[in-house]
Amino acid sequence: MSSTSSKYCPLCATTLVEKPIYHALRSTCPACGFIYFLDPKLVIVVVVEYKGKLLLGRRNIDPGKGLWSFVSGYVDRGHDS
């Protein structure tokens, strides 16, 4: 595994495999769908007020695809743009 030192899923103990997810190769569990993110510590949330109301965006990816939320995201290790 190049993206993590873990070999097994922390949720179900299945051997992790690498898959392209969110524009990078990530260790994932083929059994339960767990995705191992390496150090997702930097987070940004934007709260936009317009005419006394708050702007929300509809999520385009899981988890929560299709749900409404504040505009937000995170920076993963090696993310350069």
Side-chain angles (χ1 to χ4, degrees):
M1 297 279 118
S2 63
S3 63
T4 177
S5 60
S6 292
K7 186 175 179 180
Y8 301 102
C9 176
L11 301 180
C12 71
T14 301
T15 301
L16 296 172
V17 297
E18 292 219 340
K19 287 176 48 178
I21 297 178
Y22 307 134
H23 310 292
L25 278 178
R26 304 192 189 277
S27 296
T28 62
C29 179
C32 73
F34 174 81
I35 303 170
Y36 190 95
F37 289 99
L38 203 52
D39 294 333
K41 295 177 183 173
L42 300 175
V43 177
I44 182 100
V45 175
V46 179
V47 179
V48 180
E49 183 265 333
Y50 180 72
K51 293 186 178 181
K53 297 184 179 184
L54 296 177
L55 176 70
L56 297 176
R58 192 167 285 207
R59 290 187 55 80
N60 195 34
I61 59 173
D62 282 320
K65 186 172 182 172
L67 297 177
W68 293 99
S69 69
F70 291 111
V71 179
S72 61
Y74 65 91
V75 179
D76 203 3
R77 180 184 293 203
H79 194 207
D80 59 0
S81 59

